[in-house]
Amino acid sequence: LSLVLLSALRRKHLLNPIAVIATLSPQDERANLARGSIDSMGMPDVPVGIGSSGGVGDDVELEVYGAEYSIPSPCIYQSGIELVYAALESVPPNSAQLLCIASLADVATV
């Protein structure tokens, strides 16, 4: 739902997303779902990165609701943190805002 809102705000020219980072285990699957979702909503230019497990242990299994468009893509950055740094460097200083709706573990390193 958050990606749908992101798409709507972009279409209304209220914001310009520069990256999406998928966190929480299984973050690879979440990144595939994010990539497919934002592609299907007309935002293929927004890069997607794989973040950390968000502190979720390997023995804890969280659900991810897949979809037909949730497929692996070579357009997914393997390091979400490196994507964050690249995205922040691509815009003027103090012009970006971070929105965190999952684990704060990745953002804490920025």
Side-chain angles (χ1 to χ4, degrees), residues 44-86:
D45 58 318
V46 177
V48 172
I50 299 173
S52 72
S53 66
V56 176
D58 292 336
D59 58 334
V60 177
E61 192 170 316
L62 300 176
E63 290 187 40
V64 175
Y65 302 102
E68 288 180 15
Y69 47 83
S70 177
I71 56 172
S73 169
C75 298
I76 296 175
Y77 289 74
Q78 294 301 308
S79 172
I81 288 298
E82 287 181 17
L83 175 56
V84 168
Y85 285 124

Side-chain angles (χ1 to χ4, degrees), residues 16-20 45-48 83-84 86-91 96-98:
N16 182 32
I18 58 174
V20 170
D45 58 318
V46 177
V48 172
L83 175 56
V84 168
L88 291 174
E89 290 173 355
S90 73
V91 296
Q97 296 178 352
L98 297 176

